Amino acid sequence: MHAFMSHNHRDKPLVTPFAARMKLAGANVWLDEWEIQPGDTIVGKVNQALDLVDTVLLFWSKNAAESMWVNTEMETALTRKLSDSSVRIIPMRLDDAPLPTLLRPLMYVSLEDGADVDDAVRRILGIGSQEELTKAMQRTIWDAGMQFRDFRGMGTMIGCPKCGAPASALDGTQVVDHERDDLYMIVKCTRCGWQDGCETW
């Protein structure tokens, strides 16, 4: 699947993690923030992508309904679907905004009210179970051939977010706050000195 993520910028906090999960599961994902570089023409890049993809995920919300960009992307995808059926359009409902009339006959996927994102990814990609989705994501991580380190509380890291040093340059230390009876994980980069920490579970 080569999927275009049509959305309003105010919905990015929902759309970007969804796109990342799709990518981890093996989909070829076109998301503007990943594909458009400084100096690129936005219209040209979006137009090129809408010509190439086989699926348009239309993240529909009150924000999207008011967006000229999203409506233009929807019209372009619908025109292509009607002219040669070479693209599949999947409405992704983010809130209770009514779907446009031409999208109502299409089966939509709901991401309203904290819906299960992994379930939505599985439905779109035709993956039967959470276990199969997890295996697909794990294969992608293995295929990347990257070194990962897990720091309890901080999560999995592949490198320093400040200088880009590999995970092998990160040190983790657990610190006890006896007054609060809390345990903290502090991660520090041995190359640039960056550090961050949080309470562990």
Side-chain angles (χ1 to χ4, degrees):
M1 172 183 289
H2 191 180
F4 182 93
M5 305 283 145
S6 177
H7 65 288
N8 180 266
H9 66 94
R10 288 174 294 213
D11 295 324
K12 275 198 185 300
L14 296 169
V15 175
T16 301
F18 187 90
R21 279 187 160 103
M22 291 272 296
K23 197 172 187 176
L24 262 178
N28 185 352
V29 175
W30 197 98
L31 181 66
D32 57 356
E33 64 192 62
W34 297 343
E35 302 294 336
I36 301 175
Q37 304 301 318
D40 287 345
T41 65
I42 297 169
V43 173
K45 285 295 225 176
V46 169
N47 188 54
Q48 181 183 43
L50 285 169
D51 273 345
L52 296 174
V53 298
D54 55 41
T55 305
V56 173
L57 299 184
L58 183 64
F59 291 87
W60 195 253
S61 66
K62 291 172 183 154
N63 296 325
E66 296 171 359
S67 167
M68 233 163 84
W69 268 107
V70 174
N71 279 281
T72 301
E73 291 166 356
M74 175 185 65
E75 290 168 5
T76 302
L78 282 167
T79 300
R80 188 172 151 205
K81 181 176 178 61
L82 292 171
S83 68
D84 62 12
S85 299
S86 63
V87 68
R88 183 170 81 154
I89 302 170
I90 304 174
M92 307 291 293
R93 293 192 67 170
L94 300 180
D95 59 29
D96 61 357
L99 288 173
T101 304
L102 288 174
L103 294 181
R104 289 180 192 156
L106 301 176
M107 176 66 81
Y108 68 85
V109 174
S110 175
L111 290 174
E112 299 175 72
D113 301 323
D116 184 345
V117 173
D118 282 350
D119 180 62
V121 170
R122 288 196 323 264
R123 289 179 62 202
I124 290 165
L125 295 178
I127 297 173
S129 67
Q130 181 62 40
E131 292 76 15
E132 289 301 314
L133 177 63
T134 301
K135 288 188 326 191
M137 291 177 169
Q138 184 61 55
R139 276 192 301 275
T140 300
I141 291 170
W142 281 340
D143 290 347
M146 301 173 78
Q147 178 188 13
F148 295 84
R149 291 197 55 203
D150 187 64
F151 297 97
R152 186 173 176 197
M154 289 288 290
T156 302
M157 299 184 72
I158 62 167
C160 175
K162 182 177 178 187
C163 73
S168 59
L170 302 177
D171 282 336
T173 306
Q174 289 189 333
V175 178
V176 177
D177 180 340
H178 294 288
E179 286 184 25
R180 293 178 149 179
D181 195 30
D182 285 331
L183 182 64
Y184 293 88
M185 172 59 74
I186 309 296
V187 178
K188 182 174 182 177
C189 178
T190 58
R191 287 198 189 163
C192 73
W194 167 88
Q195 71 175 26
D196 197 1
C198 68
E199 187 176 351
T200 62
W201 314 300

